[in-house]
């Protein structure tokens, strides 16, 4: 039957061509289908190869994306290159590179696996997984040359798309307005993306109401309609794996029931074989594209016959815009965030030219604060000026619940629960409480008044508690030891500080701190009838710190660098021990490194760190130690693969580390690690640091990125320990 239809169409076209020499107008319908819509590009490649001229395009969802870009003038080959060179899962998600986040946002991103709003005292699950900021930024860039085309029929190829009004259930035909916004609304897949506001309507994916928008095309006076159908098969009994897919199936029942009549209105119906994929199969781009090409080849004879009845139009490759001119910047003030705050996050100024990457980074800075709901912006010409205009809606969720899980050998297994309240007392403040549940109770309380680039004020209170085998030195009537001894450690630190930001990557701060140390050994003193303490005192200090972080990811960076340095001057001490003669002392340390991208899968991390003590630190609790891997910084503990926790200690150290990271498949990493260093007493004043490395080690690690944080298994060897040592770390550092 299919062959008969093709033959009749071919015969008809030949008769028309011979008798009338008609220039046939061709309309193209591209259905929705999520990731399956990548096949549209494969079909378009075959349409171009056959020489068919497309005169009008209508699309839904992914069909709107592909159709909108093709209508702007991009060739099918260009769309192919765009898709295959883009990490679509990364674009779809709201994950931002660490280098566009504030320091607070970076800390949050590396601590919490889940973040949920609390509304009227109850935890509320989000309506969508992504706000779609990255997707929209891509549309704004790729469609920039058509920014002033308000009537989509005036595009290089006339175009329309459809969306669904979430409040009324109406089908909304989008054929005018700001093209990136229209395409964004048509492809806002429920549960995956937030609804998109277009004028006074809240719109979602058009596939809910009409996933094959052919009826509008019938009014465009097209002679022939080509339809590319990537919808899920009506008769498919495959299990759905996502809520988005369930809702899409339910919402498109009516459309799929009407497909028989819609197909009858389509002269050339092309349906790629895509039953092996689902709407979120973005990791299968090449396979889906290949199915589109194959389906296009099957329709080649029909396409060739059609092309013979058209005047040819050669599509030339157009350049992807990389930069734009900005004459005016119009950002509306919100109730709690003034213009200076917004502009400080955007890092854009009028009367300048910027790359689209710079624009994306600025918008990411703003979105990463989590202070705003999904927001959109326009970049177009008004009165001869290039104007960027936006009104970011403030998030109504000011109370958040956050949580995570963690395991490392030092702290043990922990469950972290966090409660955060924004605008607690002031418009620009935030109070946050971490409760860490494990073998011992731990907490972190912070209050911060954010003044952006001005001096901001903060308070923090933290408690860490764990067991360790720390090197201690004791001389009593009963004991004379200098070796690792089982010790219960309790550290409480309260800090008041002021800090300022030099851009998001650089923070400088000073403060005052109170630190309470309790180091209780398992050694029992019969004379005092107490366990021996290596430290049980309160310390008071002034501190200063400088932090720089341009890494794109904290745990598996591909580029960037970092510097973290601090100085603590301990000027007072209060101890229960009468034999302690306290004198002020100073401790300084720094850690710096750079990440060199070798290619898309390989990266090289080079880092070095060092620290020293000036004066007598009174207690060995302040010593620098080598040993362990993957735990968060506590006291002056320095990680060192191949050595047990706190294996060796001293009042000064130097360490160098080299890490080669190979991401052999997405989110799976193989790491090769080398450590070398010196830790002892007065290594700088004695020149010991020049004489060579005292401790060194090598190891291999497997790492997996998960929604709950990294999971790493490390095997390492150090000649100073003389046996293979394994480190296991689960989740983000606390």
């Amino acid at each position: 039957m299919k062959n008969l239809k093709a033959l009749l169409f071919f015969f008809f076209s030949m008769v028309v061509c011979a008798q009338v020499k008609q220039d046939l107008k061709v309309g193209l319908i591209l259905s929705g289908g999520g990731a399956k819509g990548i096949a549209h590009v494969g079909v378009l490649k075959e349409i171009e190869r056959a020489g068919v001229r497309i005169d009008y395009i209508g699309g839904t969802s992914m069909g709107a994306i592909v159709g909108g870009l093709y209508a702007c003038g991009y060739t099918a080959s260009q769309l192919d290159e765009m898709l295959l060179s883009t990490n679509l899962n990364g674009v779809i998600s709201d994950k931002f590179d660490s280098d566009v986040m504030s320091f607070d946002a970076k800390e949050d991103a590396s601590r919490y696996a889940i973040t949920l709003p609390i509304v009227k005292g109850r935890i509320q699950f989000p309506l969508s997984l992504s706000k779609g900021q990255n997707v929209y930024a891509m549309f704004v860039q790729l469609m920039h040359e058509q920014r002033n085309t308000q009537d989509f029929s005036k595009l290089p190829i006339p175009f329309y798309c459809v969306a669904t009004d979430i409040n009324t259930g109406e089908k909304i035909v989008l054929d005018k307005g700001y093209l990136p916004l229209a395409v964004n609304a048509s492809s806002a897949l429920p549960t995956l993306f937030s609804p998109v506001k277009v004028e006074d309507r809240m719109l979602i994916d058009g596939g809910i109401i009409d996933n094959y928008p052919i009826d509008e095309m019938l009014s465009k006076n097209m002679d022939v309609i080509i339809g590319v159908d990537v919808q899920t098969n009506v008769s498919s009994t495959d299990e759905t794996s996502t809520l988005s897919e369930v809702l899409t199936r339910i919402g498109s029942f009516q459309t799929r029931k009407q497909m028989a009549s819609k197909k009858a209105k389509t002269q050339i119906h092309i349906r790629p074989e895509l039953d092996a994929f689902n709407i979120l199969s973005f990791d299968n781009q090449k396979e889906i594209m290949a199915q589109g090409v194959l389906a296009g080849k099957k329709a080649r004879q029909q396409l060739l016959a059609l092309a013979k009845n058209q005047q040819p139009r050669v599509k030339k490759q157009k350049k992807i815009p990389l930069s734009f001119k900005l004459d005016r910047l119009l950002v509306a003030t919100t109730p709690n965030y003034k213009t200076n705050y917004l502009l400080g996050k955007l890092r854009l100024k009028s009367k300048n030219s910027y790359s689209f990457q710079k624009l994306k980074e600025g918008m990411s800075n703003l979105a990463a604060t989590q202070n705003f709901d999904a927001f959109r912006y326009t970049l177009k010409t008004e009165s001869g000026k290039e104007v960027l205009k936006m009104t970011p809606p403030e998030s109504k969720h000011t109370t958040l619940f956050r949580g995570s899980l963690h395991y490392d050998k030092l702290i043990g297994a922990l469950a972290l629960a966090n409660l955060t309240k924004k605008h607690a007392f002031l418009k620009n403040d935030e109070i946050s409480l971490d409760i860490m549940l494990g073998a011992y109770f731990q907490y972190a309380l912070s209050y911060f008044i954010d003044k952006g680039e001005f001096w901001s004020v903060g308070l923090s209170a933290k408690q860490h508690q764990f067991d360790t085998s720390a090197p201690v030195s004791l001389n009593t009537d009963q004991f004379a030891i200098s070796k690792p001894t089982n010790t219960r450690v309790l550290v409480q630190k309260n800090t008041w500080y002021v800090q300022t930001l030099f851009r998001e990557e650089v923070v400088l701060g000073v403060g005052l701190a109170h630190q309470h140390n309790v180091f209780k050994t398992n050694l029992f003193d019969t004379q005092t009838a107490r366990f021996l303490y290596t430290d049980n005192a309160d310390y008071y200090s002034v501190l200063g710190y400088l932090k720089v972080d341009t890494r794109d990811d904290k745990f598996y960076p591909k580029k960037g660098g970092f510097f973290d340095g601090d100085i603590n001057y301990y000027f007072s001490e209060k101890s229960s021990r009468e034999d302690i003669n306290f004198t002020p002392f100073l401790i300084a340390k720094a850690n710096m490194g750079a990440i060199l991208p070798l290619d898309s899968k390989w990266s090289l991390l080079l880092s070095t760190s060092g620290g020293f003590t000036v004066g007598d630190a009174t207690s060995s609790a302040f010593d620098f130690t080598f040993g362990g891997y993957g735990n968060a910084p506590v006291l002056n503990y320095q990680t060192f693969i191949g050595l047990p926790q706190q294996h060796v200690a001293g009042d000064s150290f130097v360490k160098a580390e080299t890490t080669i990271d190979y991401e052999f498949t997405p989110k799976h990493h193989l790491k090769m690690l080398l450590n070398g260093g010196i830790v002892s007493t007065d290594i700088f004043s004695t020149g010991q640091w020049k004489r060579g490395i005292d401790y060194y080690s090598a190891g291999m690690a497997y790492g997996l990125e998960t929604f709950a944080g990294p999971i790493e298994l490390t095997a390492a060897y150090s000649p100073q320990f003389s046996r293979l040592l394994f480190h296991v770390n689960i989740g983000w550092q606390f």
Side-chain angles (χ1 to χ4, degrees):
M1 185 67 180
K2 289 183 178 179
N3 292 335
L4 180 60
K5 288 179 65 178
L7 183 62
L8 289 173
F9 177 78
F10 180 79
F11 177 76
F12 172 77
S13 61
M14 291 295 99
V15 170
V16 171
C17 181
Q19 294 182 356
V20 187
K21 294 187 181 293
Q22 185 178 5
D23 185 17
L24 297 179
K25 294 181 179 179
V26 177
L28 176 66
I29 300 297
L30 302 177
S31 81
K36 297 182 182 182
I38 296 171
H40 289 317
V41 178
V43 176
L44 279 171
K45 291 171 74 173
E46 291 303 310
I47 289 174
E48 283 186 358
R49 206 169 276 132
V52 175
R53 186 193 72 233
I54 301 299
D55 299 291
Y56 224 115
I57 302 175
T60 297
S61 194
M62 192 66 176
I65 296 174
V66 174
L69 291 171
Y70 198 72
C72 287
Y74 293 105
T75 67
S77 295
Q78 282 184 294
L79 297 181
D80 186 359
E81 292 174 6
M82 290 178 192
L83 289 172
L84 296 182
S85 63
T86 302
N87 179 4
L88 294 180
N89 284 317
V91 172
I92 289 170
S93 73
D94 273 337
K95 182 181 179 182
F96 305 107
D97 287 347
S98 180
D99 57 349
V100 303
M101 297 181 183
S102 68
F103 272 90
D104 289 338
K106 290 176 186 179
E107 289 296 320
D108 291 348
S110 61
R111 287 170 65 84
Y112 307 115
I114 59 170
T115 298
L116 300 172
I118 296 177
V119 181
K120 296 181 180 180
R122 296 184 178 182
I123 295 176
Q124 187 178 83
F125 287 89
L127 296 176
S128 63
L129 298 175
S130 172
K131 295 178 181 179
Q133 296 294 152
N134 292 334
V135 171
Y136 186 71
M138 181 179 69
F139 295 159
V140 170
Q141 177 180 1
L142 296 178
M143 300 174 180
H144 182 62
E145 288 189 4
Q146 303 300 328
R147 63 193 178 280
N148 299 319
T149 306
Q150 296 294 303
D151 185 348
F152 300 165
S153 67
K154 306 299 183 184
L155 291 168
I157 301 176
F159 170 76
Y160 68 86
C161 59
V162 298
T164 306
D165 189 313
I166 196 173
N167 294 314
T168 66
E170 295 178 77
K171 179 172 75 172
I172 307 298
V173 179
L174 300 169
D175 56 7
K176 291 181 174 61
Y178 189 55
L179 183 60
L181 193 63
V183 171
N184 193 206
S186 180
S187 57
L189 190 65
T191 75
L192 182 59
F193 294 119
S194 299
V196 177
K197 187 176 182 179
V198 180
E199 296 180 346
D200 295 327
R201 295 178 179 269
M202 296 301 294
L203 304 181
I204 58 174
D205 196 300
I208 299 297
I209 192 73
D210 189 355
N211 210 26
Y212 191 85
I214 193 173
D215 293 332
E216 289 72 26
M217 188 65 73
L218 296 175
S219 66
K220 306 301 182 184
N221 298 317
M222 296 293 107
D223 299 301
V224 177
I225 296 177
I226 302 173
V228 186
D229 184 3
V230 297
Q231 303 174 88
T232 300
N233 195 329
V234 177
S235 62
S236 174
T237 58
D238 293 343
E239 294 184 2
T240 55
S241 58
T242 67
L243 181 58
S244 293
E245 193 161 38
V246 171
L247 293 177
T248 302
R249 282 196 176 196
I250 294 173
S252 62
F253 277 156
Q254 192 65 29
T255 296
R256 290 188 282 115
K257 286 180 180 180
Q258 297 171 353
M259 271 309 298
S261 64
K262 292 190 175 194
K263 185 176 178 181
K265 301 171 186 177
T266 308
Q267 282 73 43
I268 302 178
H269 183 260
I270 301 175
R271 182 175 176 81
E273 295 291 334
L274 300 170
D275 289 343
F277 311 100
N278 61 50
I279 63 174
L280 296 181
S281 298
F282 291 102
D283 289 330
N284 303 107
Q285 299 174 51
K286 291 183 178 179
E287 295 89 343
I288 295 173
M289 185 83 69
Q291 288 300 317
V293 171
L294 183 61
K297 289 183 182 296
K298 291 179 180 179
R300 181 169 178 78
Q301 292 305 315
Q302 292 173 282
L303 297 173
L304 287 172
L306 180 58
K308 289 181 179 180
N309 290 278
Q310 288 186 299
Q311 295 294 325
R313 178 181 64 203
V314 179
K315 286 195 77 172
K316 297 181 179 179
Q317 287 203 354
K318 59 177 294 183
K319 292 183 178 180
I320 297 175
L322 300 177
S323 62
F324 65 97
K325 184 181 178 183
L326 182 59
D327 295 317
R328 295 184 65 193
L329 181 58
L330 302 178
V331 181
T333 298
T334 71
N336 290 297
Y337 301 97
K338 303 304 180 186
T339 302
N340 286 340
Y341 174 88
L342 300 173
L343 294 179
K345 297 295 182 182
L346 288 173
R347 305 181 189 171
L348 303 175
K349 295 181 179 180
S350 300
K351 300 180 180 180
N352 283 286
S353 294
Y354 294 99
S355 68
F356 278 97
Q357 179 61 27
K358 196 71 176 178
L359 175 64
K360 180 186 176 183
E361 290 176 358
M363 295 299 173
S364 296
N365 287 341
L366 201 58
T369 65
Q370 302 296 318
N371 293 327
F372 305 94
D373 290 327
F375 60 88
R376 300 297 181 258
Y377 50 94
T378 60
L379 183 58
K380 53 187 180 180
T381 307
E382 295 183 2
S383 302
K385 302 290 186 180
E386 298 298 322
V387 181
L388 175 63
K389 187 184 297 183
M390 65 179 299
T391 304
E394 275 194 40
S395 175
K396 299 179 180 65
H397 303 139
T398 60
T399 306
L400 304 174
F401 169 80
R402 299 185 283 197
S404 196
L405 299 173
H406 178 78
Y407 171 82
D408 69 61
K409 195 169 182 178
L410 177 65
I411 301 295
L414 285 175
L416 172 65
N418 169 271
L419 187 66
T420 296
K421 173 65 178 175
K422 298 183 179 183
H423 320 308
F425 308 107
L426 302 171
K427 289 184 177 182
N428 56 340
D429 71 353
E430 178 179 295
I431 187 168
S432 177
L433 174 63
D434 286 332
I435 300 296
M436 294 164 251
L437 304 175
Y440 304 107
F441 176 75
Q442 305 181 77
Y443 67 84
L445 175 67
S446 67
Y447 178 74
F448 187 66
I449 303 173
D450 187 0
K451 295 185 177 181
E453 296 181 352
F454 300 98
W455 286 98
S456 302
V457 182
L459 297 168
S460 71
K462 298 180 180 180
Q463 175 177 291
H464 288 292
Q465 195 171 185
F466 51 89
D467 292 325
T468 185
S469 238
V472 300
S473 295
L474 286 172
N475 284 287
T476 71
D477 294 338
Q478 292 182 282
F479 303 99
I481 61 172
S482 182
K483 64 179 184 179
T485 301
N486 291 333
T487 304
R488 174 74 52 80
V489 176
L490 171 69
V491 180
Q492 296 172 329
K493 190 169 185 178
N494 309 305
T495 307
W496 173 85
Y497 61 94
V498 295
Q499 69 177 38
T500 185
L501 294 173
F502 301 97
R503 303 172 67 87
E504 298 296 327
E505 302 94 346
V506 184
V507 61
L508 173 68
V510 295
L512 295 170
H514 159 251
Q515 182 169 322
H516 178 59
N517 291 347
V518 179
F519 281 57
K520 181 181 178 181
T521 74
N522 65 346
L523 302 175
F524 191 77
D525 188 342
T526 56
Q527 295 181 353
T528 61
R530 297 188 308 175
F531 286 96
L532 294 174
Y533 289 81
T534 59
D535 195 21
N536 187 5
D538 294 274
Y539 300 88
Y540 303 87
S541 65
V542 295
L543 57 92
Y545 56 87
L546 174 65
K547 298 180 181 180
V548 181
D549 193 349
T550 62
R551 292 172 293 183
D552 58 346
D553 187 86
K554 184 174 181 179
F555 293 97
Y556 299 106
K558 300 289 187 180
K559 60 180 180 179
F562 62 91
F563 176 89
D564 188 353
D566 63 76
I567 298 176
N568 288 263
Y569 178 70
Y570 296 86
F571 59 86
S572 181
E573 179 254 12
K574 183 179 180 181
S575 175
S576 60
R577 293 173 57 183
E578 297 180 355
D579 59 329
I580 299 296
N581 184 22
F582 175 82
T583 57
F585 61 94
L586 179 147
I587 295 178
K589 62 180 183 292
N591 181 29
M592 68 186 78
I595 298 89
L596 307 177
L598 304 179
D599 62 19
S600 61
K601 293 182 177 292
W602 293 84
S603 59
L604 173 66
L605 167 63
L606 301 174
S607 66
T608 184
S609 55
F612 60 87
T613 304
V614 178
D616 184 1
T618 307
S619 169
S620 60
F622 293 97
D623 281 351
F624 300 101
T625 67
F626 280 0
Y629 181 69
N631 55 270
V634 179
L635 294 166
N636 290 322
Y637 296 170
Q638 306 296 314
T639 61
F640 202 100
I641 62 169
L643 295 179
Q645 296 283 352
Q646 293 79 61
H647 181 69
V648 62
D651 68 1
S652 49
F653 83 100
V654 173
K655 188 182 78 167
E657 183 175 348
T658 299
T659 302
I660 299 174
D661 183 0
Y662 173 51
E663 188 175 10
F664 55 93
T665 62
K667 301 186 183 302
H668 293 262
H669 298 258
L670 184 64
K671 298 168 69 174
M672 291 150 278
L673 307 102
L674 294 173
N675 281 181
I678 306 168
V679 58
S680 189
T681 302
D682 296 329
I683 66 170
F684 294 103
S685 61
T686 62
Q688 184 180 350
W689 67 280
K690 299 179 181 179
R691 292 198 293 267
I693 297 173
D694 290 338
Y695 298 89
Y696 52 91
S697 61
M700 298 282 294
Y702 164 75
L704 173 64
E705 299 179 64
T706 74
F707 82 96
I711 298 175
E712 286 196 347
L713 174 63
T714 306
Y717 177 82
S718 172
Q720 289 75 32
F721 190 59
S722 300
R723 65 182 175 90
L724 194 66
L725 188 65
F726 293 92
H727 307 278
V728 179
N729 303 286
I730 302 174
W732 287 295
Q733 298 173 350
F734 293 165

